[in-house]
Amino acid sequence: MEPSDRGHRPLAFDKMEGLVREMQDPESGVPVRSQKLFLTSIPSAFMGYDLIEWLMERLDIEESVEAVHIANQLCQYGYFFPVSDSKNLVVKDDSSLYRFQTPYYWPWQHRSPDNVEYAIYLCKRTLRNKQRHGLEEYETEALGSLRKTLQNKWDFITMQAEEQVRLSKDRKKGDKIVSDSQERAYWRIHRPPPGFTSSLEPVPVCNRGGTCSRKRRSSQDLRREVEFLKSCLSRTRTKVSQALEGLVQHCDTYLEFDPLLSGAQPSNPWHSEDTAFWQFNSPIVEVPTEKRVKRWGLSMEDLVTDQTGLQEFTNYLRKEYSHENIRFWMAVKDLRRSSHSQIPTKVQEIYEEFLAPGAPCEINIDGKTMEKTQQELKTPTRFTFDYAAEHVYTLLLKKDCYPRFIRSEHYKGLLAAGIQPSTKKRFFGFGGPGKKKSSTSTAPNLSGLQAAVSGAAGQAGCSQPAVSRRRGSDRSLTGSAHE
């Protein structure tokens, strides 16, 4: 391939070709030798498990599954092909035989094959033994369409196919098997069956030659880039160590509230038929558990996401005569989940109850928030009051009402009256460490037994040879792959 054309292909092919050339190294590569396929000798072939072992050693791979995946990718790109299986380009971790493809037929080494070459290949297979070289259904359809398309060249195509069949009769049986497998693998990649994705589909590759002209940028584009770079300099960044410390602290805080890590109380409902866990942790309960009330004190989000906690928080604000804020926030939350036909009616109801002048439950928001809400009211949507709800939630509820609720006697009373479910003991102690009954019989003579075992192990160690490789390494060079 010319150096000028190599700039138009992906860099991944350079890496794959480098790895395949290392495989073909006669000293440190994959062991290649003559193998027997039934009664036929296949020259320059290698076995599947030799390839997998080489990839695991060369790429420092621990599991063979990853090495098999890499070998399959290389096979589907056409760098080597199976000798016996001509329909599937799959590498198996066994004694199946494979051969390296000629570098001329590697992908991106030359132009893609045209329809004339494909027609010669299909026509040549129709002239040979139909039992071994018969066309598949999609190949028969392709041959019929090529006959119509290349009707003026069909005499030349037939002549070329007959000449190639005549020349192949003089070859040995092993060479015929290799050439047939090589040709089928090549066309399986460049003309895959319907429903199979081709590994050589054209991909958008940037031109590294530098022939394309760069677009000239205006002063406005340069100003926009400068502003973007300034904003990047002022952006707050957090170290990874600080982020990990925050994550560890978060896990330590919520560890006791996780029923899977700290244990479900009073019993695990997945292991027993006791339903007390579901009753204590139902959305609405009359008396919550102590652990549940403790979680409300961690953050405002933990309080409002719990229906019982939200109910107790609303009751407290009602006593403080400031429950309009939480009611407005709940109404906006309900508006987001409403159907499209109910949105105009609910928007008007929320405005008249909480935001209109002289409203019965008027909330306290600043002029900027009110002005933006008035603009959103011109085209009411389910997000009309989001800006006002965020203002109420952040400034009024989270920073004012929530701290007063945590310090109030109402919360302390809930914490003191919280239920403490005791862990129930299991009736049958499955899985627990139990005491073994002491045997009343006479203890066996362990010294004589250990001596006998050590003697037998020594004899076995002297008679068994050491295993140096995983498997298949003791096979002879001319041994059959299917013994």
Side-chain angles (χ1 to χ4, degrees):
M1 188 175 184
E2 297 181 1
S4 60
D5 296 335
R6 298 183 69 89
H8 295 275
R9 71 171 189 170
L11 288 174
F13 288 94
D14 296 338
K15 297 181 179 179
M16 289 190 290
E17 290 177 7
L19 184 62
V20 173
R21 287 192 176 94
E22 291 183 22
M23 292 180 185
Q24 294 177 334
D25 188 89
E27 296 181 358
S28 60
V30 180
V32 177
R33 52 185 177 266
S34 296
Q35 305 282 358
K36 282 188 178 181
L37 183 65
F38 299 107
L39 299 177
T40 306
S41 178
I42 305 299
S44 303
F46 59 91
M47 297 186 183
Y49 51 68
D50 289 334
L51 174 64
I52 301 303
E53 284 181 356
W54 188 90
L55 286 173
M56 293 176 66
E57 294 175 3
R58 170 64 179 80
L59 303 178
D60 195 15
I61 300 174
E62 296 181 357
E63 297 182 0
S64 60
V65 178
E66 186 176 355
V68 171
H69 175 70
I70 296 175
N72 277 305
Q73 291 293 325
L74 294 173
C75 184
Q76 290 173 6
Y77 275 103
Y79 291 103
F80 44 82
F81 57 91
V83 175
S84 57
D85 189 1
S86 59
K87 292 187 177 181
N88 299 312
L89 298 176
V90 178
V91 178
K92 300 177 182 179
D93 190 9
D94 55 11
S95 59
S96 302
L97 298 182
Y98 302 88
R99 272 181 60 96
F100 286 109
Q101 182 67 278
T102 307
Y104 178 78
Y105 295 111
W106 285 358
W108 290 89
Q109 288 292 334
H110 58 92
R111 60 178 181 83
S112 299
D114 55 8
N115 291 332
V116 175
E117 297 174 352
Y118 188 48
I120 295 173
Y121 163 72
L122 295 178
C123 187
K124 181 173 61 175
R125 285 179 57 186
T126 58
L127 300 176
R128 303 181 68 179
N129 187 2
K130 294 184 178 180
Q131 185 176 359
R132 295 179 54 189
H133 306 282
L135 299 179
E136 298 183 25
E137 184 178 356
Y138 78 96
E139 293 175 331
T140 306
E141 295 177 359
L143 180 62
S145 96
L146 289 174
R147 186 189 293 270
K148 295 178 182 178
T149 307
L150 306 173
Q151 188 175 3
N152 56 342
K153 299 181 180 179
W154 198 252
D155 294 336
F156 168 76
I157 292 172
T158 306
M159 182 182 64
Q160 288 288 333
E162 292 175 352
E163 182 65 19
Q164 292 184 17
V165 171
R166 186 184 64 80
L167 293 176
S168 64
K169 292 181 180 180
D170 300 333
R171 297 179 182 176
K172 296 181 180 179
K173 186 177 181 181
D175 296 337
K176 288 181 182 180
I177 294 176
V178 170
S179 61
D180 292 342
S181 303
Q182 181 181 19
E183 201 170 18
R184 283 202 182 191
Y186 176 79
W187 288 110
R188 179 70 65 165
I189 294 170
H190 290 276
R191 295 291 191 276
F196 288 78
T197 57
S198 175
S199 303
L200 303 180
E201 290 181 352
V203 293
V205 182
C206 61
N207 188 4
R208 307 189 198 105
T211 56
C212 58
S213 60
R214 191 174 181 180
K215 182 180 178 181
R216 188 173 181 179
R217 295 187 294 177
S218 61
S219 59
Q220 186 178 2
D221 297 334
L222 295 175
R223 290 194 198 97
R224 192 182 299 112
E225 185 177 358
V226 169
E227 294 296 330
F228 173 74
L229 294 176
K230 286 182 179 179
S231 64
C232 291
L233 291 175
S234 60
R235 185 183 302 169
T236 305
R237 289 175 173 82
T238 306
K239 293 183 178 179
V240 177
S241 58
Q242 296 179 358
L244 293 177
E245 288 178 2
L247 181 60
V248 171
Q249 184 179 2
H250 174 83
C251 294
D252 293 340
T253 303
Y254 287 92
L255 177 62
E256 61 174 317
F257 304 105
D258 194 327
L260 296 178
L261 298 179
S262 61
Q265 293 180 352
S267 62
N268 194 334
W270 290 278
H271 294 169
S272 63
E273 296 181 358
D274 188 14
T275 60
F277 177 81
W278 304 120
Q279 295 174 2
F280 288 141
N281 294 276
S282 59
I284 300 293
V285 294
E286 294 183 2
V287 181
T289 61
E290 183 183 7
K291 185 182 290 188
R292 190 170 181 176
V293 178
K294 279 184 180 179
R295 184 163 184 170
W296 298 347
L298 296 179
S299 65
M300 177 74 177
E301 288 74 16
D302 291 314
L303 176 63
V304 297
T305 52
D306 191 344
Q307 295 186 19
T308 304
L310 184 60
Q311 183 179 353
E312 295 293 341
F313 187 46
T314 306
N315 294 336
Y316 167 75
L317 293 180
R318 188 176 286 108
K319 296 177 183 178
E320 296 287 326
Y321 300 101
S322 59
H323 64 286
E324 66 277 356
N325 295 323
I326 190 66
R327 285 185 56 202
F328 172 73
W329 182 80
M330 292 169 62
V332 174
K333 189 177 178 182
D334 179 65
L335 174 65
R336 294 174 187 167
R337 298 180 174 87
S338 301
S339 61
H340 188 72
S341 59
Q342 298 176 348
I343 288 176
T345 306
K346 288 194 174 184
V347 167
Q348 187 65 25
E349 292 176 355
I350 292 174
Y351 176 75
E352 292 177 356
E353 185 176 1
F354 298 103
L355 295 174
C361 298
E362 187 175 0
I363 59 175
N364 184 17
I365 58 176
D366 56 8
K368 183 179 179 181
T369 306
M370 189 65 184
E371 182 180 354
K372 190 167 185 178
T373 305
Q374 292 287 354
Q375 294 178 357
E376 295 289 338
L377 283 171
K378 296 178 181 178
T379 55
T381 62
R382 64 179 73 248
F383 309 109
T384 299
F385 301 106
D386 279 4
Y387 193 75
E390 184 68 22
H391 174 80
V392 169
Y393 181 83
T394 305
L395 298 180
L396 301 180
L397 292 177
K398 192 172 184 178
K399 294 185 178 181
D400 179 42
C401 300
Y402 175 69
R404 286 192 288 112
F405 170 72
I406 297 301
R407 296 190 301 265
S408 66
E409 296 295 331
H410 184 82
Y411 178 74
K412 294 179 181 178
L414 291 172
L415 195 60
I419 301 175
Q420 295 182 358
S422 59
T423 305
K424 293 184 179 181
K425 294 183 179 180
R426 299 177 65 179
F427 187 79
F428 298 102
F430 295 118
K435 287 187 177 181
K436 295 183 178 179
K437 293 184 179 180
S438 58
S439 177
T440 57
S441 61
T442 308
N445 188 6
L446 296 179
S447 61
L449 181 62
Q450 290 176 357
V453 171
S454 60
Q459 294 176 3
C462 295
S463 60
Q464 293 179 356
V467 180
S468 60
R469 295 187 68 180
R470 184 162 58 121
R471 61 190 182 280
S473 58
D474 57 343
R475 189 181 299 279
S476 62
L477 295 179
T478 60
S480 173
H482 299 277
E483 291 180 355

